[in-house]
Amino acid sequence: MRTHGWAGSAPATDDEAVARILTAASKAIDERGADFSIADVARTLGVTRQTVYRYFPSTDALLVAAAVHAASDFLDRLAAHLQGITDPVEAVTEAIATALEWLPKDKHIGLLIAPGRADAHTEQVTSDVAVDFARAVLRRFDVDWASLGFTDDDLDELAEHLLRIIQSFVIDPGRPPRTGEALRAYLRRWVGSAVITAAASPLD
């Protein structure tokens, strides 16, 4: 760990350095949106750009990391919104629809799906980190997955499937895009049917 810079207060570990960089990146996104740069973050921290590059190889890499960092709060809000929904079809339908409605309005996570950025970043939606988040949200539903025959492996696959569906809507919302109850009816019919099938035919 290098000890110079950092406005006179060097982090004790690399983990602390990353946390400080992500906090500074979050502040820069609040102020400048997608136009923030490594230089903005370095200036806030009192370090050189090379120091930031030591942890994040590019502005886009830092943008993705900052979005994932912000995802925890986003998913906490989503879980709270779904509280009390015990039917698996309704829970999955509302989770996808609400995520699609909230994502474009989220100043941090929304940057990943802004025009011109989807192609570069949507692969992050099925990264290990993203699947971990989705898995955690599924387990926080008020749905008794075990009584429906879902195993841990089933939930892992369902988490990945939900992320892939969200990704497809982000890339192409449809012509015209479905919103509100029309979106929910579509998801209920086509995604919900898959959930019911999975419950009836669990993995071996």
Side-chain angles (χ1 to χ4, degrees):
M1 171 65 65
R2 298 175 182 176
T3 57
H4 65 276
W6 300 96
S9 178
T13 65
D14 283 338
D15 286 344
E16 183 183 346
V18 168
R20 287 201 204 177
I21 291 170
L22 290 176
T23 298
S26 178
K27 179 179 178 181
I29 291 171
D30 285 337
E31 294 174 352
R32 301 174 61 86
D35 293 329
F36 90 100
S37 68
I38 293 287
D40 295 323
V41 174
R43 191 178 307 111
T44 298
L45 294 169
V47 299
T48 65
R49 286 179 298 173
Q50 286 70 28
T51 299
V52 180
Y53 282 126
R54 179 172 172 236
Y55 298 97
F56 298 96
S58 67
T59 300
D60 279 348
L62 180 53
L63 175 65
V64 170
V68 170
H69 186 65
S72 179
D73 175 67
F74 180 91
L75 293 178
D76 282 346
R77 290 187 288 115
L78 181 59
H81 176 74
L82 297 170
Q83 188 172 4
I85 301 177
T86 58
D87 180 82
V89 173
E90 288 302 316
V92 167
T93 294
E94 188 61 24
I96 296 172
T98 302
L100 289 170
E101 290 166 351
W102 287 1
L103 277 171
K105 302 171 188 175
D106 188 281
K107 196 162 190 178
H108 297 258
I109 301 172
L111 288 176
L112 299 181
I113 60 171
R117 288 188 174 269
D119 289 345
H121 299 304
T122 46
E123 70 272 11
Q124 293 294 326
V125 82
T126 47
S127 69
D128 289 342
V129 173
V131 173
D132 283 346
F133 278 132
R135 187 183 299 123
V137 169
L138 281 176
R139 283 170 168 78
R140 290 170 61 182
F141 284 1
D142 286 341
V143 174
D144 189 349
W145 295 111
S147 72
L148 295 169
F150 282 81
T151 66
D152 286 343
D153 286 342
D154 293 330
L155 289 179
D156 289 349
E157 286 200 353
L158 180 57
E160 178 185 345
H161 185 56
L162 299 189
L163 288 167
R164 291 187 183 280
I165 292 169
I166 291 170
Q167 180 188 56
S168 70
F169 272 97
V170 166
I171 294 172
D172 183 1
R175 293 171 292 277
R178 292 181 179 86
T179 59
E181 184 50 39
L183 173 61
R184 284 163 173 79
Y186 175 89
L187 294 170
R188 202 174 286 120
R189 181 179 185 186
W190 296 109
V191 181
S193 62
V195 173
I196 292 172
T197 300
S201 304
L203 292 174
D204 294 333

